Amino acid sequence: MTSMFDLAPEAPVVPVVVIEDAADAVPLARALVAGGLPLIEVTLRTPAALDALRAIADGVPEAVVGAGTVVSTAGVADAVGAGARFLVSPGWTERLLGAMRESGVPFLPGVSTVSEVVALLERGVDAMKFFPAEAAGGVPYLKSLAGPLPQARFCPTGGVSAASAPAYLALPNVGCVGGTWMLPPDALASRDWARVESLAREASALRVPVSGR
């Protein structure tokens, strides 16, 4: 199966989007794509999330839209049915992992301990979300895993900022980072899509892709 890290390898940052009004989904996605961030995670935290995901999948074909905060088998089915091209969970269980694997789309199960990483590697999963990144040890923690577990690759999410993202992206076991700093609440409230595009462009320039990373 294709890894999520291969969906848009030129994009170092995955915007983690919480959408309250599905009408905002398409213009928001277009702003992010125009800014160079085509990989978009719509979190399943609001009643509008599935409609927003569907709107982006149908209306912004250049976006690679997926679902975040996937915590149940029903969530997997709903997200894929709405057009999700990848799935992200904050953690995992055997049942949830099985559903994500059977979905046919790339997925990132969440981990925050070495034992969770090893357990996923035993199950043939080497692409993971590291969450909550800053609270769970941040850059030093992930750096310490690169030696004994070099086959594991991570997308750190949770507290990652424009200031801390470059340090994460410099690690050999990090494929991308997830964040919300390019989506300030005041810009979303005022529907200032030009500002979102500008911040996305800054985020997309954080790392020049390196072949084989």
Side-chain angles (χ1 to χ4, degrees):
M1 178 184 293
T2 300
S3 167
M4 179 174 159
F5 298 125
D6 297 325
L7 291 177
E10 74 283 358
V13 178
V14 180
V16 180
V17 181
V18 180
I19 297 180
E20 302 288 348
D21 184 347
D24 293 336
V26 167
L28 174 58
R30 286 175 176 162
L32 292 171
V33 170
L37 300 182
L39 214 59
I40 301 171
E41 175 186 333
V42 176
T43 64
L44 303 185
R45 301 181 192 176
T46 69
L50 288 174
D51 286 338
L53 200 161
R54 189 175 294 107
I56 296 171
D58 292 343
V60 192
E62 61 271 36
V64 182
V65 65
T69 321
V70 178
V71 295
S72 69
T73 57
V76 170
D78 289 344
V80 174
R85 293 173 61 184
F86 63 88
L87 304 169
V88 183
S89 68
W92 65 278
T93 63
E94 293 290 357
R95 186 177 180 187
L96 180 58
L97 184 66
M100 290 193 293
R101 195 193 296 269
E102 291 170 7
S103 72
V105 302
F107 58 91
L108 288 179
V111 298
S112 60
T113 70
V114 176
S115 293
E116 290 169 326
V117 175
V118 173
L120 284 176
L121 290 174
E122 284 184 343
R123 290 157 176 78
V125 178
D126 59 10
M128 311 170 196
K129 170 179 176 174
F130 179 53
F131 176 83
E134 287 292 286
V139 171
Y141 189 93
L142 281 183
K143 185 176 182 180
S144 71
L145 296 186
L149 300 170
Q151 65 272 53
R153 296 187 73 204
F154 302 95
C155 177
T157 306
V160 179
S161 66
S164 63
Y168 281 105
L169 292 168
L171 298 176
N173 56 351
V174 168
C176 60
V177 300
T180 61
W181 71 86
M182 73 298 299
L183 303 162
D186 59 332
L188 299 184
S190 63
R191 295 176 170 80
D192 187 350
W193 309 129
R195 183 179 173 201
V196 170
E197 179 181 340
S198 177
L199 291 170
R201 186 169 291 107
E202 292 175 6
S204 71
L206 285 177
R207 182 184 69 189
V208 176
V210 177
S211 178
R213 281 284 293 273

